[in-house]
Every structure is written in structure tokens, then in C-alpha cells.
Amino acid sequence: MRIALDAMGGDFAPQINVQGAIDALCANLDLEVQLVGDAGDLERRLAETGYSGERLSIVPADGFVGMEEKPTEALRKKPRSSIAVCWKLMATREVDAIVSAGNTGGVVAAGLWSRLFLKGVKRPGIAVVLPTLTGRTVLMDVGANPDAKPEHLYQYAVMAQIYSREMLGISHPRVGLMNIGSEDGKGNELVRGTHQMLSKSPYKMDYVGNVEGRGLYLGEADVVICEGFVGNVVLKVSEGMASMFMRRIPDAILKSLHSEKHLAAAAFENLAHSYEYNETGGAPLLGIDGVCIICHGSSDARSIANALQGAAALHKRNVNAQIADALALSE
Amino acid sequence: MRIALDAMGGDFAPQINVQGAIDALCANLDLEVQLVGDAGDLERRLAETGYSGERLSIVPADGFVGMEEKPTEALRKKPRSSIAVCWKLMATREVDAIVSAGNTGGVVAAGLWSRLFLKGVKRPGIAVVLPTLTGRTVLMDVGANPDAKPEHLYQYAVMAQIYSREMLGISHPRVGLMNIGSEDGKGNELVRGTHQMLSKSPYKMDYVGNVEGRGLYLGEADVVICEGFVGNVVLKVSEGMASMFMRRIPDAILKSLHSEKHLAAAAFENLAHSYEYNETGGAPLLGIDGVCIICHGSSDARSIANALQGAAALHKRNVNAQIADALALSE
């Protein structure tokens, strides 16, 4: 299992990527990682770590897509940027997967340019796993496709259901459609069209219909489908709200306590960790002929190591072959 | 100041509406409330309370739009339903405002049918006030208009800014556009078009540009504009997440404590109250020639009383006249 890691991606690159790669290689002996980026810098950093395993190599790239750059412009100007080289390695089958904590728009745009779509897939989409009151729910798409059509959302339902089953171990994931009401006929043209398609599809048994925003975190479905604009807003509003709560709530509670303040403070800290992105293995861009895992820009080494392991698991569970089969059957 | 209260609206109607009206009348001597609904039932309930002030009267209606009914169908079948009668009372200037905790789609649809739009307004929208890390932010529209165009979002910016200034006391509210990236050129056609309009408008000084989902709860703008589908999902996802946190966090923290468990439990209870909808005065449907306040379906008497007071404040602060003037200037 060979993975190209965009060593220049993320707020703390390249150091956390070098460390994350080493951590993953130590934990998983089947992995080979290619660090893609500024070869001189990477060699120096690698030497400093003292790591000399042969499963880690360096692939040179020229520059990278910055977090604030416009993806398409940056990719045009820097055709040998780290993320572009990662995709080329996957297109030529030199690697099985790529992982990046860089500019999400850049990762997706480079992927769309490579046209490395899985057979039958109309548009790839990004899936994320969110914690809910009752377990975990996959939300898709969170921003790869801002111009979705019903047939795209339908395919997201197929892809995310397989992802939920294989990666979260839910045997019959219930699929819901994010909407602004629970009754039939609610919402805009896009969701009404998608509702029609899902209601008549081979997946209708697992389709629980419209899910309102409230139902997402209450766990009303194991998979919730939406278009990229809505999904991205939901994901980031959730981040912002969690961040607000994790500052406001401890303040209010700790000042009510005296001798046991330290116990509550420690419990809050544990809780905050459990909601951190670093614990999750990144978000897959599903619908690609290969594996692409997108990590949060603020990823640390543990997060990168988890994402590399997640990429390996996705590959091993044959998620792509199952998606291609399911799409062929449901055409 | 005369208000029609949809006595049949809400999960706990009509009892909480009767009680909420009496509470508001006791608190505000300038108010007159007309309870609209099943006259026999309302008379009986009113008699039970022992209240006999002349500022409270009953206006009969036939039936109501249920929480699970399709609004337009229900309104067609029940032209004398409580919410339809409320709007008629406002259209004939028998009341200055209406308040309802009923089916939101029903309240909005009946309003659109009445065509009681404020001069210059293309489409009314619902504004809500959300707590943020730094204060309070107005989010608009949260579901009145599922087919928004840039000129609608532009008008929402104008209306919500005036609302924020007059009702929250923010002297120069910063206006942001909900988007999936902070750079120019991000997002779909609707937000790009709106960004163009706002950047060139008389409001450009107060326009802070794109705000990502994360920025909403971090208080990056005092007013955040979006189309109704996105806004409704954001509002309800927030409700669901808050509900999850308010169950998960106390569980985790309380079990870490011993002798001071009761102190933390009391602090959590206070905190939960501060995030409750019942504390806020409902959400205005802005852009109406009159005042329409929409309450959460789960409203209690205090929430209804607050909404009646909020309607009175909105009327008193001449928010509508200011909106009409601002729209005339910005044409």
C-alpha cells in the first residue's frame, strides 16, 4: 500500500507531515509513504528525526498551493506544486492513495483536473464523519461540488452508504436527505428531484426521507446527503459552535466550583480532545479512482498519521470496487 | 399597539398562548391582544384564568394549520384558519402586528398570499438572533424564501442591519455574506452575485465580505446573510448540536465530580436556560407592511409573552419606516 503525502499541505507543514508519516509507518508495516514537496527541506528534516526506514521516500515538487490562494489560479501557475505531483503519482499508479492537509479547494481542483474518476461516477464529493447523540453520521458532500444535480446527490447516497458500512461498521446505514422540512414536497428543486430519485431507487428500503438540520446531530440517519455549499456551511458552523461551547461552557461551570475545580477542568479537557479533528482520519474525496484523504488545515502529526491509516483502510476494504458495482447496478 | 395572537399555533396551544397574552398585558400597559382561534374553547380557558381586562379580546377562527400539514394545501382548505384570520386583521389595519408559534411555513405562506409587503421589498425573509462568542448575530433568511436571487439577499442585508441596530443596539452592524470560503469569487452564482451588489452598494463600508460557517458563532459579523434553505439548515443544525452538547457535556463532567456535583448541575441548568428559545422574543418576518413574529413551535407562555413584547418594540422603533427609506435610497 503506497501513499503520496502532500508534505507541504497544512498550517504546520512540512514538520507535522514528516512526523505523521513516520508515526504511521511505525504503526503499520504494510505502508510505504512518499513525502511530496521541497526535497532539500524534507531531506534535512528527515535527517533530523533520525528515521532511516526504506518505506519512506521523498518526491520533489516545486512550490505548493497556499491556504489563501485561489486554487485554479495557483494550480495553473504551479503545475509541479506538491498537490499536483501527488495526483500525478496516483494517475500513473505509482501510489494507491494521496493524503493532504493543504488547501481543500486545491486538492479537489487538482483531482478534478486529473479526471481520475471512478467508473460511473459523475462528480466526486467529500464525506465527513460527525459525532451525533447516538453514534456517528456521514455527511456528504461538504464542498467538492457546488453545482450539484439530483443525480450527483443520488450517487453520494450510494457512495456514503458504502463508506458508512465499511468504515464505521454500520450494517444497514439509514440514508437521509438534508431538507428544511420533514414532509414530502419540501425544499428546493434540487432536493425534491433527489427525493424522487431515492424514493424509487434500489436503495429505497434504507432511505428514511428528509432529515431536518436538527436531526443530523440527533442521529436520525447514518448518512445525510446534501449539496456542497450546504454541507460546507454545516460543517463549519458546527466547528464554530463547538468552539464557542468549548470556551463558554467551561468558563460558566468552573466558576461555580471550589475544591473540585481541577477535576472538572480535567474532564473538560478530555471532552475537548474527543471532539477534535485530530482524532479523526480526515475526510475522503469519494468517487475517485484511487484514494484521496483531505485533512483539516490545522492537523497535527497524530491527525496525519490517522489519515494515512484511514487511507490504507479505505484501500483494503475495497470501498471503490463496491461503489463501482453499486453504481453499475443502480443505473 | 394592537396585536393578533394566533391562539391555535404551537405544540402547547392554546393554553400557553392564553397565558402568554395575559403575562404580556400585565407587563405592558400599552398592549391590546386579540386571541384568534376557537372562540368557545378560548372563552372557557380565559374564564378559568380569572383574567377580565378589557385589553384582551377573542376573534373567532375556523380550524388551524397543523404542525405537520402542507401549508398551501391547508390554507386552501381552511381559509378561515387562525393564521389566515391574523393576517386579515393586519391587512385591514385592525391590528398592528401578529404573533404565531404555529407551522412556520403556514405563517409565511399566509403572509405571502396577503401580499402585505413593505414598499420596495421584493421578498420578505425571517431573521433570527443567535448567541455568538462575542455577542449576538442576526442571521437572515432562515427559511421564508427558498428561491432567493442576489437582489433578495441584498435587501436582507439592508433589513437585517436596521433590525440589528434598532433591536440589539449595535450602532454600526457589520454585514457578512455566508459563503464557503473567505476569498472573493468563492461560492455559487447566488453568493457571487450578492457579493458584487454589496461591494458596490451604499452599504459597502459596513460590508465585511464573505463569512465562513465557522465565523458565524465566532462573531465575525453582526449580520450574516444567506438564502432560506441554507439559513434554515444552519438554524436547525445549531439547535441539534446544542441539544447534543447540553446532554453529552453535563454527563461527562458530572461523573468526574464528587461533593460538588450539585453545584455543577445547577450551573449547567442555568446555562441551558440561557440558550433556550423561550428567552428570545421570536423571529420577525421582515419586509412585511406590519409586524409578524414567528415563535418556535415548542414555545412556552414566557416565550409568547416575550414575542408579544418584541412585536411591540419592533413597532415602536419604526423599523419598517427605516427599511422603506433605506430601500428607496439604495435602489
Side-chain angles (χ1 to χ4, degrees), chain B residues 66-194:
Chain B
M67 297 309 255
E68 301 299 325
E69 285 190 272
K70 284 194 188 179
T72 46
E73 258 177 41
L75 288 168
R76 245 190 297 266
K77 277 191 224 153
K78 295 177 263 193
R80 293 280 310 159
S81 63
S82 58
I83 188 62
V85 171
C86 285
W87 278 102
K88 277 172 199 150
L89 291 169
M90 193 150 72
T92 53
R93 306 295 173 201
E94 289 166 80
V95 299
D96 307 298
I98 67 180
V99 169
S100 176
N103 181 320
T104 299
V107 179
V108 173
L112 298 184
W113 282 11
S114 78
R115 299 295 304 171
L116 204 59
F117 289 11
L118 195 58
K119 192 171 175 339
V121 169
K122 294 190 169 94
R123 293 293 293 269
I126 303 172
V128 291
V129 178
L130 299 173
T132 71
L133 197 56
T134 56
R136 289 185 291 174
T137 290
V138 178
L139 180 71
M140 183 174 182
D141 165 48
V142 297
N145 178 7
D147 296 302
K149 299 188 170 36
E151 54 267 35
H152 303 158
L153 295 197
Y154 174 76
Q155 292 198 337
Y156 294 159
V158 175
M159 295 194 256
Q161 197 192 29
I162 292 169
Y163 182 78
S164 166
R165 195 177 62 217
E166 294 300 324
M167 301 299 286
L168 305 183
I170 298 169
S171 54
H172 287 92
R174 297 158 300 156
V175 175
L177 177 66
M178 181 72 88
N179 206 337
I180 58 173
S182 50
E183 320 92 88
D184 274 18
K186 268 283 182 182
N188 52 30
E189 220 174 297
L190 173 64
V191 293
R192 285 196 303 267
T194 309

Side-chain angles (χ1 to χ4, degrees), chain A residues 49-73:
Chain A
T49 67
Y51 182 87
S52 62
E54 58 182 16
R55 289 182 289 125
L56 185 59
S57 54
I58 291 170
V59 177
D62 287 339
F64 59 93
V65 179
M67 296 308 254
E68 301 299 326
E69 285 189 273
K70 284 194 187 180
T72 46
E73 257 176 44

